């Protein structure tokens, strides 16, 4: 099992002064929590590393820039992979200048989807494994800060949920002069609005929204989606998704549970899975067995359970 936090940015969209402002805010959060870093030392001719509270370091990693790193936390001593942030946006600008095409950054994180007109220049500053250790929420708070302050140029993603982000944002706002909010992927109305303004074809909107949202896919989400995109478009999306699976596959059970928990019609589900000539053509007995086995009464375990 791998639990990660991604911090996607398009450096060309961020001015050095604006990045420095956000970096300085990250130092407030760095100071507020016991992030752990490792530092080299020598004794009796031996070189070794020792743990110390993370801090801003000049010429960090011999880069010529200020920066900091977290490899875990001093509270528990638990380790994560390296999470590094430099104080100068030039540290992230490639020597091969890439022209910013101005496209929506949200489309740049959909690696497993064929999306037209993706943005150029997206890089993942983080992506290491936190494994849900104590520092996970506090690293997420810094990612939420950067994503919120730079909404067109930065985006947090990974093994996170809206619930985690709410917890992270509440903690961060105790120490920031100007409060932050949830990332756009944790705010359904903002997310839908930005996707509608993107170059995505209308029929791709449900698929893209559901791939990006951090919010629970429950009855309230289903109501929102039907109002926002229309039931016909959503049923067309699910019809296409169900056809990718056999009834015995785990993906079918997951999709079945998602569909029903968002309050879509059971009659339409029966048509897609059983009776429609161009549907899955599952045997009725097998279909009903899968419905019972989907355990609709048991809520999915969210990522924040690991923290």
């Amino acid at each position: 099992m791998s639990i990660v936090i991604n911090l996607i940015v398009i450096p060309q969209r961020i001015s050095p002064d604006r990045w420095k402002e956000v970096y300085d805010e990250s130092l407030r959060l760095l100071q507020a929590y016991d992030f752990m870093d490792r530092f080299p030392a020598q004794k009796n001719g031996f070189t070794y590393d020792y743990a110390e509270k993370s801090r801003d370091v000049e010429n960090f990693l011999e880069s010529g820039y200020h920066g900091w790193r977290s490899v875990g936390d001093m509270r528990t001593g638990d380790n994560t992979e390296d999470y590094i942030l430099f104080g100068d946006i030039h540290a992230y600008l490639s020597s091969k200048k890439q022209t910013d095409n101005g496209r929506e950054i949200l489309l740049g994180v959909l690696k497993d989807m064929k999306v037209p007109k993706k943005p150029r220049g997206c890089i993942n500053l983080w992506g290491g494994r936190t494994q849900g250790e104590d520092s996970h929420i506090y690293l997420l708070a810094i990612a939420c800060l950067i994503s919120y302050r730079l909404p067109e140029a930065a985006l947090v993603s990974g093994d996170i949920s809206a619930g985690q982000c709410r917890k992270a944002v509440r903690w961060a706002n105790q120490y920031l002069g100007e409060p932050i909010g949830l990332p756009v992927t944790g705010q359904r109305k903002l997310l839908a609005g930005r996707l509608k303004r993107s170059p995505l074809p209308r029929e791709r909107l449900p698929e893209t929204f559901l791939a990006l949202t951090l919010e629970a896919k429950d009855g309230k989400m289903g109501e929102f989606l039907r109002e926002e995109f229309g039931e016909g478009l959503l049923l067309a999306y699910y019809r296409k998704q169900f056809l990718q699976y056999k009834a015995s596959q785990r993906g079918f059970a997951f999709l079945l549970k998602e569909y029903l928990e968002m309050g879509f019609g059971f009659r339409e589900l029966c048509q897609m899975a059983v009776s429609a000539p161009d549907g899955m053509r599952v045997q009725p007995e097998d279909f009903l067995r899968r419905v019972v086995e989907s355990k609709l009464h048991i809520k999915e375990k969210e990522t924040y359970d690991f923290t």
Side-chain angles (χ1 to χ4, degrees):
M1 181 180 62
S2 177
I3 300 174
V4 306
I5 299 173
N6 299 313
L7 179 56
I8 311 298
V9 302
I10 302 178
Q12 295 90 337
R13 296 184 183 179
I14 308 170
S15 71
D17 288 344
R18 185 60 178 136
W19 182 260
K20 178 65 164 55
E21 290 173 1
V22 176
Y23 176 79
D24 287 344
E25 286 191 287
S26 81
L27 296 181
R28 293 189 184 187
L29 303 184
L30 193 74
Q31 181 62 33
Y33 175 76
D34 291 326
F35 291 104
M36 179 174 68
D37 195 4
R38 55 179 179 269
F39 296 90
Q42 285 190 336
K43 187 173 183 180
N44 298 328
F46 292 98
T47 300
Y48 63 95
D49 288 341
Y50 67 95
E52 194 172 282
K53 184 175 168 63
S54 299
R55 63 178 185 271
D56 175 61
V57 177
E58 189 176 356
N59 191 27
F60 184 55
L61 301 177
E62 299 183 349
S63 65
Y65 306 113
H66 282 259
W68 58 261
R69 173 175 57 193
S70 172
V71 299
D73 72 277
M74 300 292 288
R75 294 180 181 181
T76 66
D78 290 331
N79 294 106
T80 67
E81 292 187 330
D82 289 9
Y83 279 74
I84 293 172
L85 199 68
F86 288 106
D88 192 321
I89 195 63
H90 291 98
Y92 301 114
L93 289 168
S94 171
S95 57
K96 298 178 181 178
K97 291 188 177 179
Q98 200 168 24
T99 304
D100 177 17
N101 60 10
R103 302 275 161 71
E104 173 60 71
I105 190 173
L106 288 165
L107 305 185
V109 302
L110 298 169
K111 294 182 179 179
D112 298 329
M113 290 175 57
K114 293 181 179 179
V115 177
K117 301 179 180 178
K118 284 189 176 185
R120 293 197 197 103
C122 290
I123 59 173
N124 189 359
L125 304 191
W126 287 0
R129 289 176 290 183
T130 70
Q131 299 302 77
E133 300 293 357
D134 193 75
S135 59
H136 177 97
I137 287 293
Y138 306 96
L139 287 166
L140 179 58
I142 295 175
C144 286
L145 161 69
I146 296 170
S147 183
Y148 189 81
R149 294 284 191 249
L150 305 167
E152 303 296 330
L155 182 67
V156 57
S157 67
D159 301 300
I160 59 176
S161 68
Q164 278 190 0
C165 290
R166 281 190 287 271
K167 182 177 179 181
V169 165
R170 281 196 301 268
W171 175 80
N173 282 338
Q174 299 175 81
Y175 305 101
L176 298 173
E178 182 183 347
I180 60 173
L182 295 177
V184 64
T185 46
Q187 301 185 63
R188 62 187 70 170
K189 288 185 179 179
L190 288 180
L191 177 58
R194 279 181 55 171
L195 290 177
K196 283 182 172 181
R197 294 190 296 272
S198 78
L200 276 175
R202 184 171 178 271
E203 63 271 15
R204 299 293 301 279
L205 290 173
E207 175 187 12
T208 310
F209 180 94
L210 289 167
L212 287 170
T213 184
L214 300 177
E215 297 187 73
K217 295 170 183 174
D218 55 13
K220 290 183 179 179
M221 176 63 81
E223 288 178 15
F224 171 80
L225 292 175
R226 287 186 285 275
E227 182 178 336
E228 195 71 23
F229 301 129
E231 187 151 11
L233 194 63
L234 291 159
L235 289 176
Y237 159 74
Y238 275 108
R239 189 175 299 112
K240 182 179 177 182
Q241 293 301 303
F242 278 119
L243 285 172
Q244 297 181 44
Y245 301 105
K246 295 181 179 179
S248 58
Q249 290 180 300
R250 191 173 180 182
F252 173 75
F254 177 84
L255 195 64
L256 175 72
K257 187 176 175 71
E258 176 185 285
Y259 175 95
L260 291 172
E261 286 185 341
M262 285 202 290
F264 291 102
F266 191 74
R267 183 179 66 179
E268 290 81 1
L269 176 62
C270 291
Q271 290 173 346
M272 288 185 280
V274 179
S275 62
D278 58 348
M280 294 180 66
R281 306 297 291 171
V282 179
Q283 291 299 314
E285 296 83 359
D286 292 338
F287 171 68
L288 290 174
R289 185 182 304 111
R290 296 302 280 171
V291 171
V292 172
E293 290 173 351
S294 67
K295 299 179 181 179
L296 292 171
H297 61 290
I298 300 177
K299 290 187 176 296
E300 288 293 323
K301 187 174 184 180
E302 293 198 50
T303 310
Y304 58 69
D305 290 337
F306 294 111
T307 63

